[in-house]
Amino acid sequence: MIQQIEKLKEIINQNSMGHLPLPYRVDLMKQIGNSRTVQKVLCECCKKACSSFPEEFCAENLLVEVLSEMDSYLYKNKGIAESILVSVERLRNYVEQSADSPDDMASWAIISLGYAIRYDAASILAIEDYNGEDDDAFDFESWNADFICSIACSGSNPFVETGNVEKRKEYWLWYVKMVLEVSQNPNVKYQSLPVCKRATPLIDIPVRHQSDNTIEAQFKDILSYIMDCEPQKFKEGLEYDILFVSTVVDMFSITSSDGDRITLNTKNCDKICNTLRDIRKRMYQKDPKQGAWFQVEIFLKNKEQYTFNFNYDNLEQLPSFFQEPDWLLGMFEKFPRSKEYTPLWLRKIVGRRKLYLT
């Protein structure tokens, strides 16, 4: 393999784009043969790309958490490939929403790596109907992590714009050297995961003030409507837990103190959800910097006795169905807030996007 690596170095140096064409990489990976070792090669590419963006890819980054999971799976046999697939599927839409900059491409490479781990690196070891085409012959979603990382490290796709040829060449020369060492010592990590040197700050969210007499009157009206629209379903002497969760979709539920679920007809549910969304919007407009709540829980004794619990910041309180990063990002885009009112977990999702109110 040493002679082959030297030949590949010549090819890289002679390529006008500083690119290592896909056919050579396919042959190289097939020569390695072992899918786990090939996955480790792709993992090292992702770590290389992330190291180019230390501010974005510190230990607090969502994608670094997934990359760490993959690294542990590949080198320590921790976890299972199916679990990794769940992680990347959960983040895929979130990453695709903004895959248009070099560091975004590093994130997309991690998603690609997840599929390579789950499907035995078939995207490079078993390309369907492959006849020696280069990377530009394939769709964005079919690119391998090694090529995606070359875009991240060089700042551009060589088939779209030449960009920084020297950086691209530097990456591919690093790549062939790394492949040789990983193939010879597959159980030894070639490089470490990104490390965040900054201490995680303790975030003290200020007290919010988004309610007033008008808002309280609107809540009272909708609670009366809930109790009166289908009165036969509510029993005297029982208390009720009313939960409304809303991001890109809504969830509305009523549970009585004896454990029964109260189901209202679709027309009434739609009216209640629309009203609660409207109240949230009015609250947000009072002071947008404070953000909008994801969830409101109402503990109802009767029309005159009730308490509210608004959830602006607690991810764990949200039903798991609503914890999708792309949904939460969409909610933030609709109701942006200032950074001081943004908890750490939500800051991770927002990332470097310029969405905060000032």
Side-chain angles (χ1 to χ4, degrees), residues 85-342:
L85 181 64
V86 170
S87 295
V88 298
E89 289 282 4
R90 179 170 174 264
L91 289 170
R92 178 178 177 137
N93 289 339
Y94 164 72
V95 173
E96 278 188 308
Q97 284 179 357
S98 59
D100 55 4
S101 67
D103 52 307
D104 291 330
M105 294 307 294
S107 296
W108 183 246
I110 295 172
I111 299 297
S112 174
L113 172 62
Y115 289 110
I117 288 175
R118 175 60 183 86
Y119 298 111
D120 299 321
S123 59
I124 196 163
L125 290 177
I127 303 174
E128 187 176 357
D129 299 325
Y130 185 61
N131 293 306
E133 299 91 345
D134 207 345
D135 298 279
D136 62 328
F138 297 90
D139 294 334
F140 167 82
E141 294 183 347
S142 301
W143 290 345
N144 280 287
D146 54 355
F147 175 64
I148 301 170
C149 290
S150 77
I151 297 175
C153 291
S154 67
S156 65
N157 179 344
F159 300 103
V160 176
E161 57 177 306
T162 303
N164 194 320
V165 174
E166 288 305 313
K167 281 191 175 182
R168 189 176 300 113
K169 184 184 298 184
E170 178 185 323
Y171 167 81
W172 286 118
L173 290 173
W174 167 88
Y175 170 85
V176 294
K177 179 176 181 291
M178 176 271 294
V179 169
L180 178 61
E181 295 196 24
V182 170
S183 64
Q184 292 175 338
N185 301 285
N187 296 321
V188 179
K189 290 185 183 183
Y190 187 73
Q191 59 191 335
S192 300
L193 287 163
V195 176
C196 184
K197 297 181 180 179
R198 296 169 298 177
T200 301
L202 295 176
I203 300 174
D204 187 12
I205 304 294
V207 176
R208 292 180 170 89
H209 302 282
Q210 288 186 324
S211 187
D212 57 23
N213 292 336
T214 301
I215 297 294
E216 291 177 8
Q218 289 178 315
F219 269 118
K220 187 172 182 178
D221 288 344
I222 194 60
L223 288 176
S224 294
Y225 181 83
I226 291 171
M227 297 292 288
D228 294 340
C229 64
E230 298 179 52
Q232 72 279 8
K233 295 183 178 180
F234 293 88
K235 300 176 183 177
E236 288 189 17
L238 293 182
E239 299 176 3
Y240 294 90
D241 182 2
I242 301 170
L243 181 66
F244 176 67
V245 189
S246 176
T247 55
V248 296
V249 296
D250 299 332
M251 185 187 83
F252 176 71
S253 68
I254 305 174
T255 307
S256 69
S257 54
D258 63 3
D260 290 337
R261 294 289 295 270
I262 310 300
T263 303
L264 303 181
N265 66 47
T266 301
K267 181 180 178 181
N268 285 326
C269 280
D270 287 346
K271 180 174 181 177
I272 293 165
C273 290
N274 288 337
T275 301
L276 289 171
R277 282 197 303 271
D278 183 61
I279 293 174
R280 176 175 64 185
K281 184 177 180 180
R282 290 174 183 270
M283 293 176 69
Y284 176 76
Q285 290 171 340
K286 283 184 64 65
D287 190 347
K289 288 185 178 181
Q290 297 180 16
W293 44 265
F294 296 101
Q295 169 181 301
V296 59
E297 190 167 14
I298 307 169
F299 301 97
L300 179 68
K301 286 189 175 183
N302 53 56
K303 293 181 183 179
E304 302 300 326
Q305 290 183 287
Y306 48 83
T307 57
F308 295 96
N309 180 17
F310 296 102
N311 180 9
Y312 291 80
D313 306 314
N314 193 324
L315 179 64
E316 298 305 318
Q317 280 187 5
L318 291 176
S320 58
F321 182 71
F322 285 85
Q323 294 182 19
E324 297 296 325
D326 54 317
W327 286 15
L328 296 168
L329 179 61
M331 177 72 170
F332 194 96
E333 290 173 333
K334 185 175 182 180
F335 296 106
R337 56 175 86 178
S338 68
K339 197 166 187 178
E340 66 175 330
Y341 283 96
T342 307

Side-chain angles (χ1 to χ4, degrees), residues 8-156:
L8 292 177
K9 288 180 181 178
E10 291 180 15
I11 291 169
I12 295 166
N13 284 317
Q14 292 171 3
N15 188 284
S16 62
M17 299 183 294
H19 173 62
L20 179 60
L22 178 59
Y24 295 103
R25 289 155 29 222
V26 170
D27 288 343
L28 188 60
M29 295 302 104
K30 286 185 175 180
Q31 185 173 334
I32 291 174
N34 183 281
S35 62
R36 177 61 68 92
T37 303
V38 172
Q39 291 163 354
K40 290 177 179 178
V41 165
L42 299 176
C43 182
E44 296 300 334
C45 291
C46 290
K47 288 189 274 187
K48 169 72 171 176
C50 290
S51 68
S52 299
F53 307 97
E55 290 297 316
E56 287 79 8
F57 290 95
C58 65
E60 297 172 356
N61 182 286
L62 288 174
L63 275 301
V64 171
E65 293 174 3
V66 177
L67 182 57
S68 177
E69 179 185 0
M70 297 173 183
D71 192 68
S72 293
Y73 170 79
L74 293 173
Y75 287 102
K76 299 179 182 179
N77 291 317
K78 291 185 177 180
I80 57 175
E82 288 76 9
S83 176
I84 290 172
L85 181 64
V86 170
S87 295
V88 298
E89 289 282 4
R90 179 170 174 264
L91 289 170
R92 178 178 177 137
N93 289 339
Y94 164 72
V95 173
E96 278 188 308
Q97 284 179 357
S98 59
D100 55 4
S101 67
D103 52 307
D104 291 330
M105 294 307 294
S107 296
W108 183 246
I110 295 172
I111 299 297
S112 174
L113 172 62
Y115 289 110
I117 288 175
R118 175 60 183 86
Y119 298 111
D120 299 321
S123 59
I124 196 163
L125 290 177
I127 303 174
E128 187 176 357
D129 299 325
Y130 185 61
N131 293 306
E133 299 91 345
D134 207 345
D135 298 279
D136 62 328
F138 297 90
D139 294 334
F140 167 82
E141 294 183 347
S142 301
W143 290 345
N144 280 287
D146 54 355
F147 175 64
I148 301 170
C149 290
S150 77
I151 297 175
C153 291
S154 67
S156 65

